[in-house]
Amino acid sequence: MKITSTSCICPVLVCLCFVQRCYGTAHHSSIKVTRNQTKHIEGETEVHHRPKRGWVWNQFFVLEEHMGPDPQYVGKLHSNSDKGDGSVKYILTGEGAGTIFIIDDTTGDIHSTKSLDREQKTHYVLHAQAIDRRTNKPLEPESEFIIKVQDINDNAPKFTDGPYIVTVPEMSDMGTSVLQVTATDADDPTYGNSARVVYSILQGQPYFSVDPKTGVIRTALHNMDREAREHYSVVIQAKDMAGQVGGLSGSTTVNITLTDVNDNPPRFPQKHYQLYVPESAQVGSAVGKIKANDADTGSNADMTYSIINGDGIGIFSISTDKETREGILSLKKPLNYEKKKSYTLTIEGANTHLDFRFSHLGPFKDATMLKIIVGDVDEPPLFSMPSYVMEVYENAKIGTVVGTVLAQDPDSANSLVRYFIDYSAEDDRCFNIDANTGTIRTTKVLDREETSWYNITVAASENDNPGLLSHVTVGIRVLDVNDNPPELAREYDIVVCENSKPGQVIHTISATDKDDFANGPRFNFFLDEHLSINPNFTLKDNEDNTASILTRRRRFSRTIQDVYYLPIMISDGGIPSLSSSSTLTVRVCACERDGRVRTCHAEAFLSSAGLSTGALIAILLCVVILLAIVVLFITLRRSKKEPLIISEEDVRENVVTYDDEGGGEEDTEAFDITALRNPSAAEELKYRRDIRPEVKLTPRHQTLSTLESIDVQEFIKQKLAEADLDPSVPPYDSLQTYAYEGQRSEAGSISSLDSATTQSDQDYHYLGDWGPEFKKLAELYGEIESERTT
């Protein structure tokens, strides 16, 4: 088969054209391929040979972007089996066959029907076959060939990353690299100069230059100054065809900014400044600003200010505002116009970040002179101290002096000063101040345990200018006095085991005191000395502000007594010492051998006696039956009609019936009336009639003399002690009632029987000696006496 083409551009086509000329064809080339034949040799059998393929691989070329009116001729297919009689049919398959590429099935001519773009597809792979038109059988095997799209210069160079933004330091050396730009060309770089790019600068000269081959942009001048010009716009062009005439080009913009370096020292606009500062300026406040200019930016313009000379170095200080780069002048000490009216300062501003490459442009600092004029103002009174601390004892009388504050007019006029306490609406006004002297006094009785510290604000103003105020804080500490007795730290639940031994510690108690440490601990614990010795318990002071409760006898019994009361006394360490009395309740409980409490309730005795659960249930059942019988009996008795007159012989339990109106002393035989009398009026001490005392009690005359000298509280305590010491007390409680009117009043009798008949003869001054109970009466009669005298 022969493959022909009209293209003779590339070196491969040159060879094909040479073959064309050799065979004498004008429009196509032919490559002859011999076919395989079978020969019959005499005397030999027929031998079958494999036929050779009649295809030869080749390439076709077609120009891209063909714009002609007729389809572009690509090449020709020809089979050696084609005798020109139209019996051979050519078939084309593969990429673009039938759409882009068509073939004349008789002649084998191939044409391109569309304009192709090499940048979209560079080649097409096709398959050709020659078949017998009559039998549709292939004359030769199918062969593959390629149609390549031949490039033309139809794409201009492009800068894919533009436009560019880049920086370069100012004052850079000439030739400093700024940026490398790259343009790309979509044309075939292996064919001709269509993709060979050359760079040139269209805008930006004479400041910058570009390398034509590499696209590197460099500075073209020495010492480019940012302060003179900061931004540059450079236009770079890329042209293909090696820059020849007719080549395509593209351009991009490079925005170049010069970055700052510290090549400019700071400078004050003036060499002399003047500042007015009133003497009322507060210490620590800013009184003025000053600024030095620096043409640089960023950190290169940072500077610090300092006072290097002048008579106001100790009075003023200067700091730097990093945002505004200003020097802030502040007051270190108060000003006084009457003492000094002006100050002079030398202020220096210096860069903080130096670049030694430009040290020859320095020095990078500057100085100026600042004169400060002190202004005279009417100043508020000045207190002698910035704050005051005073002390006063609690419970002090109203009007007690706490302390004195002092303020003076600092001006030359030396006006008089008035004082007052600046109270807010919710403050508790416990103090007042003398407006002229500044003396602070109490207006209430203070309690340290309620408030231990007071903070008040005292204000002072001049008489000539009341609106000009100054304030000072006064702290008042309330000192403690021993006015709170000690108390038990909490309610104690004390338990003693029935099997306890003498001297056994059953509990430890502690105390608290609302007073401070000096008037509180150390605490002393002891039993009341006025009471008899307790036979059951004793108290031991541990000398560490605690006390231990110890037993004094062996074994306790809940059946006899299940609760004991132990009165104790507690005293504090104040001067004078205060004491208080408390009563501890001790419960008797059943305990295990290891001391654990088993039970403290009386119903547990049944189980401790060894009764089983069934026995307990039987007992409870019997009790319920008895209660039901009693209720039934009472119900039946109430249903009976009771007689209106009760017989004298009808004695019901303890009820005694009297039928006279006044039997006198005979009526008291059923009740011991002595218990209701004044203890001092008791004729004799009577004991319980159900038992006989086994101890010798106090004689009658000693008891009567003792009762006359003590009050009812001591009498009751003595009776309680006697009852506790009585060994014959039965296991049930008894009630004894005592009536006592109290001691004789200091006022004596206030009866009017002995009074004079006329009011003029009566003197009521003695009413003031009767005590606080008669204070109102004394005031009332005192007013009557004064009116009568008037």
Side-chain angles (χ1 to χ4, degrees), residues 203-272:
Q203 178 182 319
Q205 295 175 333
Y207 306 103
F208 299 93
S209 64
V210 64
D211 190 299
K213 294 182 178 180
T214 62
V216 176
I217 303 173
R218 301 179 185 275
T219 59
L221 292 179
H222 287 287
N223 299 330
M224 298 176 66
D225 190 4
R226 185 199 66 85
E227 286 72 36
R229 182 177 177 181
E230 184 176 3
H231 301 287
Y232 295 86
S233 181
V234 179
V235 179
I236 303 297
Q237 183 189 63
K239 190 174 184 180
D240 59 11
M241 298 299 292
Q244 298 176 7
V245 177
L248 302 178
S249 64
S251 62
T252 187
T253 301
V254 181
N255 295 312
I256 302 176
T257 302
L258 298 182
T259 57
D260 185 62
V261 297
N262 192 11
D263 58 341
N264 293 279
R267 292 290 181 262
F268 285 101
Q270 300 175 209
K271 292 299 179 182
H272 296 279

Side-chain angles (χ1 to χ4, degrees), residues 346-361:
T346 300
I347 299 177
E348 180 185 78
N351 281 141
T352 55
H353 303 90
L354 301 179
D355 194 335
F356 295 101
R357 296 178 300 170
F358 310 104
S359 58
H360 61 282
L361 301 176

Side-chain angles (χ1 to χ4, degrees), residues 124 309 362 403 532 561 629 761:
Y124 296 85
N309 199 1
S532 303
Q561 186 172 352
I629 294 174
D761 298 335

